[in-house]
Amino acid sequence: MSESSVLFHFAFQPASRAARLALGEARIEWTDTPVRPWEDDCPVNDLNPSGLPPVVQTTDRGRPLTLCELPAVLGWIEDQQKSPLLLPADPAERAEARRLTGWFERRFTDEVDAVLLHERMEKPLLKLGPPEARALRHGRDALKSHLAMLEELVAARDWLAGRRLSQADLIAAAHLSVLDYFGEVQWANWPSLKTWYSKLKSRPCFRPLLADRFVGVPPSAWYADLDF
């Protein structure tokens, strides 16, 4: 097990949120170091050639170790465990967790985050002007399609990949929680997904995320409410 860990992250980046959730779920202690990855002097630039968080600096069995981006962080967390933690032992559920992880890394990121989070979050940060109505409509239509798929899954399962919580749940919750902050998820339309998200919000690892605040934009009225 590591002797010490430092997490470099941006609070409203889904991958950084997933890393925080996974570290919390694994009960690994770390020092919290927020970064602003769009700035030239961001410390992540010296740690990860891509310049992207999350990055974990740790010491493993006396040796320094730098974990660049979410897959490396998740893999390292799983390697610390004596039994499966965030990847199910069942081969079918393990495969499903990996499939959904890939879905969020590619399809959801490209079709939803790259549109909605660009308009709602990146533009204010980079001073690129107000959101475009056409882009918002496009992103919201894509989000509805993804939410419909997730609603069908959780209506038939205890968790996204099957009978137990997995990294797929944490990654999905990381993405949806950022969108939820900006009021983009209409939970009343997705009752099974709302129940699933409520279970995740109630876990201790989720509480720090509910305290996050984006400068100049208050959260949705229900963002931090466990009984929303």
mmCIF file of all heavy atoms in Angstrom, residues 5 13 22-23 27 31 49 63 81 115 121 128 130 151 180 188-189 198 224:
data_model
loop_
_atom_site.group_PDB
_atom_site.id
_atom_site.type_symbol
_atom_site.label_atom_id
_atom_site.label_comp_id
_atom_site.label_asym_id
_atom_site.label_seq_id
_atom_site.Cartn_x
_atom_site.Cartn_y
_atom_site.Cartn_z
ATOM 1 N N SER A 5 0.028 10.005 -0.750
ATOM 2 C CA SER A 5 -0.511 10.278 -2.081
ATOM 3 C C SER A 5 -0.934 11.734 -2.173
ATOM 4 O O SER A 5 -1.461 12.303 -1.212
ATOM 5 C CB SER A 5 -1.717 9.372 -2.374
ATOM 6 O OG SER A 5 -1.359 8.013 -2.313
ATOM 7 N N GLN A 13 -13.935 18.561 -13.700
ATOM 8 C CA GLN A 13 -13.582 17.632 -14.768
ATOM 9 C C GLN A 13 -14.078 16.239 -14.362
ATOM 10 O O GLN A 13 -13.732 15.736 -13.294
ATOM 11 C CB GLN A 13 -12.066 17.595 -14.976
ATOM 12 C CG GLN A 13 -11.637 16.651 -16.096
ATOM 13 C CD GLN A 13 -10.232 16.119 -15.895
ATOM 14 O OE1 GLN A 13 -9.800 15.924 -14.761
ATOM 15 N NE2 GLN A 13 -9.534 15.874 -16.995
ATOM 16 N N ALA A 22 -13.159 7.184 -6.551
ATOM 17 C CA ALA A 22 -12.500 5.880 -6.435
ATOM 18 C C ALA A 22 -11.538 5.846 -5.254
ATOM 19 O O ALA A 22 -11.495 4.859 -4.495
ATOM 20 C CB ALA A 22 -11.769 5.562 -7.735
ATOM 21 N N LEU A 23 -10.761 6.905 -5.069
ATOM 22 C CA LEU A 23 -9.858 6.958 -3.912
ATOM 23 C C LEU A 23 -10.640 6.927 -2.609
ATOM 24 O O LEU A 23 -10.249 6.266 -1.642
ATOM 25 C CB LEU A 23 -9.000 8.224 -3.987
ATOM 26 C CG LEU A 23 -7.923 8.253 -5.067
ATOM 27 C CD1 LEU A 23 -7.386 9.668 -5.247
ATOM 28 C CD2 LEU A 23 -6.786 7.297 -4.732
ATOM 29 N N ARG A 27 -10.833 4.052 0.356
ATOM 30 C CA ARG A 27 -10.363 4.551 1.642
ATOM 31 C C ARG A 27 -8.860 4.798 1.642
ATOM 32 O O ARG A 27 -8.144 4.497 2.609
ATOM 33 C CB ARG A 27 -10.759 3.605 2.777
ATOM 34 C CG ARG A 27 -12.268 3.447 2.909
ATOM 35 C CD ARG A 27 -12.653 2.549 4.049
ATOM 36 N NE ARG A 27 -14.100 2.415 4.148
ATOM 37 C CZ ARG A 27 -14.736 1.674 5.053
ATOM 38 N NH1 ARG A 27 -14.039 1.007 5.966
ATOM 39 N NH2 ARG A 27 -16.052 1.611 5.057
ATOM 40 N N THR A 31 -3.651 13.907 -0.231
ATOM 41 C CA THR A 31 -3.655 15.355 -0.111
ATOM 42 C C THR A 31 -4.316 15.936 -1.348
ATOM 43 O O THR A 31 -3.975 15.563 -2.479
ATOM 44 C CB THR A 31 -2.227 15.902 0.019
ATOM 45 O OG1 THR A 31 -1.619 15.334 1.181
ATOM 46 C CG2 THR A 31 -2.244 17.425 0.155
ATOM 47 N N PRO A 49 2.705 14.415 -19.605
ATOM 48 C CA PRO A 49 2.981 15.031 -20.911
ATOM 49 C C PRO A 49 1.742 15.604 -21.597
ATOM 50 O O PRO A 49 1.850 16.574 -22.351
ATOM 51 C CB PRO A 49 3.569 13.864 -21.721
ATOM 52 C CG PRO A 49 4.202 12.979 -20.702
ATOM 53 C CD PRO A 49 3.284 13.060 -19.504
ATOM 54 N N ARG A 63 9.186 3.600 -3.387
ATOM 55 C CA ARG A 63 9.573 4.158 -4.680
ATOM 56 C C ARG A 63 8.559 5.211 -5.115
ATOM 57 O O ARG A 63 7.352 5.006 -4.985
ATOM 58 C CB ARG A 63 9.650 3.061 -5.742
ATOM 59 C CG ARG A 63 10.709 1.997 -5.461
ATOM 60 C CD ARG A 63 10.643 0.907 -6.516
ATOM 61 N NE ARG A 63 9.330 0.270 -6.535
ATOM 62 C CZ ARG A 63 8.960 -0.640 -7.434
ATOM 63 N NH1 ARG A 63 9.781 -0.974 -8.409
ATOM 64 N NH2 ARG A 63 7.753 -1.187 -7.359
ATOM 65 N N GLN A 81 -5.677 -3.897 -3.848
ATOM 66 C CA GLN A 81 -6.686 -4.650 -3.117
ATOM 67 C C GLN A 81 -6.361 -6.146 -3.042
ATOM 68 O O GLN A 81 -5.798 -6.718 -3.963
ATOM 69 C CB GLN A 81 -8.061 -4.469 -3.784
ATOM 70 C CG GLN A 81 -8.428 -3.034 -4.086
ATOM 71 C CD GLN A 81 -8.339 -2.117 -2.885
ATOM 72 O OE1 GLN A 81 -8.814 -2.456 -1.797
ATOM 73 N NE2 GLN A 81 -7.751 -0.946 -3.082
ATOM 74 N N VAL A 115 -19.967 19.096 -25.708
ATOM 75 C CA VAL A 115 -20.916 20.131 -26.114
ATOM 76 C C VAL A 115 -21.418 20.914 -24.905
ATOM 77 O O VAL A 115 -21.188 22.121 -24.779
ATOM 78 C CB VAL A 115 -22.108 19.521 -26.879
ATOM 79 C CG1 VAL A 115 -23.068 20.619 -27.325
ATOM 80 C CG2 VAL A 115 -21.615 18.727 -28.081
ATOM 81 N N MET A 121 -19.330 25.509 -19.139
ATOM 82 C CA MET A 121 -18.201 25.624 -18.225
ATOM 83 C C MET A 121 -16.946 26.184 -18.887
ATOM 84 O O MET A 121 -16.339 27.137 -18.392
ATOM 85 C CB MET A 121 -17.882 24.250 -17.610
ATOM 86 C CG MET A 121 -16.731 24.253 -16.623
ATOM 87 S SD MET A 121 -16.477 22.624 -15.877
ATOM 88 C CE MET A 121 -15.890 21.678 -17.286
ATOM 89 N N LEU A 128 -14.873 32.884 -23.677
ATOM 90 C CA LEU A 128 -15.169 32.669 -25.093
ATOM 91 C C LEU A 128 -16.572 33.125 -25.482
ATOM 92 O O LEU A 128 -17.042 32.823 -26.574
ATOM 93 C CB LEU A 128 -15.002 31.176 -25.430
ATOM 94 C CG LEU A 128 -13.593 30.607 -25.260
ATOM 95 C CD1 LEU A 128 -13.590 29.114 -25.562
ATOM 96 C CD2 LEU A 128 -12.597 31.340 -26.150
ATOM 97 N N PRO A 130 -20.929 33.871 -24.540
ATOM 98 C CA PRO A 130 -22.063 33.158 -23.944
ATOM 99 C C PRO A 130 -22.335 31.834 -24.650
ATOM 100 O O PRO A 130 -21.890 31.613 -25.787
ATOM 101 C CB PRO A 130 -23.231 34.137 -24.159
ATOM 102 C CG PRO A 130 -22.843 34.896 -25.392
ATOM 103 C CD PRO A 130 -21.346 35.046 -25.327
ATOM 104 N N GLU A 151 -31.105 4.589 -17.896
ATOM 105 C CA GLU A 151 -32.359 4.289 -17.190
ATOM 106 C C GLU A 151 -32.751 2.835 -17.394
ATOM 107 O O GLU A 151 -33.153 2.140 -16.445
ATOM 108 C CB GLU A 151 -33.470 5.216 -17.705
ATOM 109 C CG GLU A 151 -34.867 4.898 -17.198
ATOM 110 C CD GLU A 151 -35.100 5.298 -15.752
ATOM 111 O OE1 GLU A 151 -34.237 5.995 -15.170
ATOM 112 O OE2 GLU A 151 -36.143 4.915 -15.197
ATOM 113 N N ASP A 180 -25.272 17.781 -13.447
ATOM 114 C CA ASP A 180 -26.309 18.079 -12.468
ATOM 115 C C ASP A 180 -26.051 19.416 -11.782
ATOM 116 O O ASP A 180 -26.987 20.145 -11.452
ATOM 117 C CB ASP A 180 -26.373 16.955 -11.426
ATOM 118 C CG ASP A 180 -27.545 17.093 -10.484
ATOM 119 O OD1 ASP A 180 -28.668 17.334 -10.960
ATOM 120 O OD2 ASP A 180 -27.343 16.964 -9.258
ATOM 121 N N ALA A 188 -36.681 13.838 -12.740
ATOM 122 C CA ALA A 188 -38.065 13.350 -12.701
ATOM 123 C C ALA A 188 -38.391 12.491 -13.916
ATOM 124 O O ALA A 188 -39.291 11.638 -13.858
ATOM 125 C CB ALA A 188 -39.032 14.533 -12.620
ATOM 126 N N ASN A 189 -37.661 12.676 -15.006
ATOM 127 C CA ASN A 189 -37.903 11.900 -16.219
ATOM 128 C C ASN A 189 -37.225 10.532 -16.200
ATOM 129 O O ASN A 189 -37.484 9.709 -17.082
ATOM 130 C CB ASN A 189 -37.401 12.673 -17.446
ATOM 131 C CG ASN A 189 -38.140 13.980 -17.649
ATOM 132 O OD1 ASN A 189 -39.311 14.093 -17.311
ATOM 133 N ND2 ASN A 189 -37.454 14.979 -18.203
ATOM 134 N N SER A 198 -29.180 8.631 -6.217
ATOM 135 C CA SER A 198 -29.396 8.928 -4.801
ATOM 136 C C SER A 198 -28.559 8.004 -3.917
ATOM 137 O O SER A 198 -27.993 8.440 -2.907
ATOM 138 C CB SER A 198 -30.879 8.797 -4.460
ATOM 139 O OG SER A 198 -31.110 9.090 -3.102
ATOM 140 N N ALA A 224 -26.899 19.451 -3.901
ATOM 141 C CA ALA A 224 -26.332 18.883 -2.681
ATOM 142 C C ALA A 224 -27.362 18.173 -1.812
ATOM 143 O O ALA A 224 -27.052 17.708 -0.723
ATOM 144 C CB ALA A 224 -25.639 19.970 -1.862
#
